[in-house]
Amino acid sequence: MEKTGGRVDFEWVYTDQPHTSRRKEILAKYPEIKSLMGPDPQLKWVVSGMVLTQLLACYLVHNLSWKWVFFWAYAFGGCINHSLTLAIHDISHNVAFGNKLAKWNRWFAMWANLPIGLPYSAAFKKYHTDHHRYLGDDKLDVDIPTDFEGWFFNSPARKVLWLFLQPLFYALRPLVVNPKPVGLLEIQNTLVQLTADAILFYYWGLKPVVYLIAGSILCMGLHPLSGHFIAEHYMFLKGHETYSYYGPLNCITFNVGYHMEHHDFPSIPGSKLPQVKKIAAEYYDTLPQHTSWSRVLWDFVFDDSIGPYARIKREYKLSKQE
């Protein structure tokens, strides 16, 4: 018999998210943090290097046997693609070219999207804005699992399956929870991506396309890097809904582990978030934090109190203008 998880509902609260008040308090005490806001001039070069590396890898795998295509997709290419999804996360906050060149950021995100194999960047931007503005909202924050996910994936075996299927849930959940009209940028993103995939297929066959897409799916599912999906907002300690991780994997994930700092200051590039923690250390050092994303995945699977239901939820009262 499978062991049933302990939670039967989300953790409902009736307070605002803590990031808004802490941001105001930190800026009042350390106004120099404002100087960290703005574009990161190195981001476009780092991302472009990763995209070109994957292009070279596509050429190298096109004559390999299928088993090696999937091996390198998981062991190498998928890691780069996972990192590129986190670059797209950074770019969604306009930190590649700044707020004055917002459209440049959207197009650059499509460039970063190319090795992922599936169109993603434009839709992500649209929903990620809500995740920050309405963190934990019952309908607007599509980062939170559905009731079905919380009810069904409640045992170790089912939670492993849920982790494996995470990319599928991230793609389909917005269409169920908070569907939005398809915009021009999403159409452009799809056309650019399909054109790039078709070019790869024309010159080098199916294997490079499978290498890219399989790597993205595998490394956003059951993979050590995917521990950040769980580490960021799942409630490992009652009342705490955002957690940071300061370990070495930040070096290849654009410092997404500095997640408490990121939600406090979303307009600061990931490369500068360690400076936020250093300046305002007394605000972050005493907060709960994770030391290993692999341990996060282990605890998620085997701890009855942690599962898809282990999220804080709230309801925002929206004005008519919103």
Side-chain angles (χ1 to χ4, degrees), residues 87-116:
I88 290 170
H89 164 257
D90 233 17
I91 297 165
S92 74
H93 293 283
N94 294 336
V95 301
F97 296 97
N99 291 323
K100 293 181 180 180
L101 297 172
K103 270 293 178 66
W104 288 33
N105 289 282
R106 304 290 78 78
W107 280 97
F108 186 65
M110 294 182 199
W111 164 249
N113 195 150
L114 293 181
I116 295 169

Side-chain angles (χ1 to χ4, degrees), residues 4-178:
T4 304
R7 295 195 64 92
V8 295
D9 195 3
F10 298 101
E11 183 81 4
W12 285 89
V13 300
Y14 303 94
T15 57
D16 193 9
Q17 58 170 293
H19 302 287
T20 305
S21 57
R22 185 163 54 238
R23 179 188 307 122
K24 293 178 180 178
E25 189 174 337
I26 291 176
L27 284 176
K29 189 173 183 179
Y30 300 109
E32 63 268 29
I33 285 180
K34 291 181 180 178
S35 67
L36 301 177
M37 300 175 182
D40 175 2
Q42 301 301 317
L43 183 62
K44 56 183 176 291
W45 305 115
V46 174
V47 169
S48 295
M50 296 167 71
V51 172
L52 295 175
T53 296
Q54 281 291 67
L55 178 62
L56 175 61
C58 285
Y59 170 76
L60 294 175
V61 304
H62 84 283
N63 281 328
L64 295 180
S65 64
W66 280 108
K67 67 178 181 181
W68 287 110
V69 171
F70 283 103
F71 171 81
W72 288 114
Y74 185 81
F76 178 73
C79 297
I80 294 180
N81 284 3
H82 195 131
S83 185
L84 282 171
T85 67
L86 297 171
I88 290 170
H89 164 257
D90 233 17
I91 297 165
S92 74
H93 293 283
N94 294 336
V95 301
F97 296 97
N99 291 323
K100 293 181 180 180
L101 297 172
K103 270 293 178 66
W104 288 33
N105 289 282
R106 304 290 78 78
W107 280 97
F108 186 65
M110 294 182 199
W111 164 249
N113 195 150
L114 293 181
I116 295 169
L118 298 169
Y120 156 80
S121 63
F124 174 81
K125 161 65 178 175
K126 182 166 62 177
Y127 285 101
H128 189 64
T129 300
D130 286 345
H131 170 63
H132 275 269
R133 191 174 185 183
Y134 307 113
L135 180 65
D137 184 81
D138 185 36
K139 300 296 183 185
L140 299 174
D141 186 359
V142 298
D143 186 67
I144 295 180
T146 61
D147 277 303
F148 170 77
E149 292 169 72
W151 168 78
F152 184 78
F153 297 99
N154 62 356
S155 69
R158 292 181 184 183
K159 286 192 277 187
V160 168
L161 178 61
W162 185 83
L163 290 172
F164 182 77
L165 296 175
Q166 236 182 153
L168 179 65
F169 287 117
Y170 268 90
L172 298 181
R173 192 185 297 138
L175 304 179
V176 175
V177 176
N178 186 24

